[in-house]
Amino acid sequence: MKKMLIGLISDTHIPDRARELPEKVIEAFENVELIIHAGDLTSPKVIEELENIAPVMAVQGNMDRVNGIDLPKAKVIEAEGLRIGVVHGEVYPRADTDQLLYLAKQLDVDILVSGHSHQPKIEQKGGVLLVNPGSPIVPRLADRTVMLLEVNNKEVDVEIVKIGAPVCSALDFDQYKRD
C-alpha cells in the first residue's frame, strides 16, 4: 500500500460570503490526490475551482439545499484500506460528537469528515476518527482552516492548516475604537 494525501474543506459559502477561495487553500492542497468537501459550497463553481487541483468529492450542506445544489447527503470512499465517510454534519446541538459517531456507525466508517460547525476539530471517539476541517472563509470563533489527511498503510495523520486569522463579525471591535 502507498500513502494517500487528501485535502479536507467545508463551509466555503461562495459567493454569498466570499468571491473565491483564498489562495492559501490552493497552496495547502497542491500535493493532494483527492479533495473532500463536507458541504455548504453554496455554488458549484467551488467544485470546478478545486478540480483544477485534484478530483473532488462533495456532499450537500444545508445551504446547498437552500441554493438548489443537488449533491448526495453522504458519501463513503475507501482509502488505503480505511473507510472514510463524509456528511455535512447537521446535528443538534451543533458538532455533537455522540450524534456524529452515530452517523459514522450508520455509514460503517473508520473516519468521518463533517462540517457545519465552522470550527476545526479532531477527535477519536468509539473507534472512529471524527474530523471537521472548519471553514477557510467564515469560521466561528476559530481560525480560517482546512485540513490535510494522510492515510499511510492504515496509519492516519491529520494536520490543521491555518488559512488566515480568526473572523467573527459579531466581534468587530473596530467599531468601538476610541479616538
Side-chain angles (χ1 to χ4, degrees):
M1 296 210 190
K2 63 178 187 62
K3 70 179 182 181
M4 182 173 190
L5 187 63
I6 303 169
L8 307 179
I9 188 169
S10 189
D11 299 287
T12 46
H13 292 275
I14 292 171
D16 48 317
R17 307 278 179 91
R19 280 195 290 284
E20 59 194 19
L21 286 171
E23 188 62 37
K24 284 188 174 180
V25 170
I26 292 148
E27 290 168 19
F29 288 169
E30 67 183 353
N31 296 315
V32 302
E33 295 169 57
L34 174 71
I35 296 170
I36 293 176
H37 196 303
D40 276 3
L41 303 93
T42 67
S43 165
K45 181 187 116 175
V46 175
I47 293 175
E48 292 167 24
E49 199 174 338
L50 290 170
E51 279 181 337
N52 290 327
I53 308 166
V56 176
M57 182 174 107
V59 295
Q60 186 185 67
N62 54 302
M63 295 310 295
D64 297 326
R65 270 197 312 282
V66 169
N67 286 290
I69 298 170
D70 188 26
L71 289 166
K73 292 209 182 341
K75 278 192 169 182
V76 176
I77 61 158
E78 290 239 357
E80 306 306 311
L82 292 176
R83 288 175 53 85
I84 302 172
V86 188
V87 295
H88 185 54
E90 291 172 68
V91 295
Y92 299 94
R94 195 182 296 265
D96 181 76
T97 55
D98 288 333
Q99 291 181 65
L100 291 171
L101 176 61
Y102 181 75
L103 291 174
K105 295 293 187 186
Q106 281 185 310
L107 295 171
D108 188 27
V109 294
D110 304 295
I111 301 168
L112 183 71
V113 179
S114 66
H116 193 56
S117 71
H118 296 221
Q119 295 175 318
K121 184 169 195 137
I122 303 167
E123 185 175 329
Q124 185 83 36
K125 184 167 190 154
V128 176
L129 181 63
L130 303 173
V131 294
N132 183 326
S135 172
I137 309 283
V138 278
R140 285 196 181 101
L141 298 173
D143 291 329
R144 297 172 189 245
T145 55
V146 295
M147 285 183 179
L148 294 174
L149 174 74
E150 186 177 83
V151 181
N152 188 355
N153 201 17
K154 292 200 179 187
E155 289 291 313
V156 176
D157 187 33
V158 186
E159 178 187 350
I160 297 173
V161 181
K162 190 173 164 182
I163 296 304
V167 183
C168 183
S169 55
L171 296 177
D172 182 6
F173 293 113
D174 286 343
Q175 65 183 333
Y176 304 111
K177 279 197 175 153
R178 297 185 183 104
D179 294 329

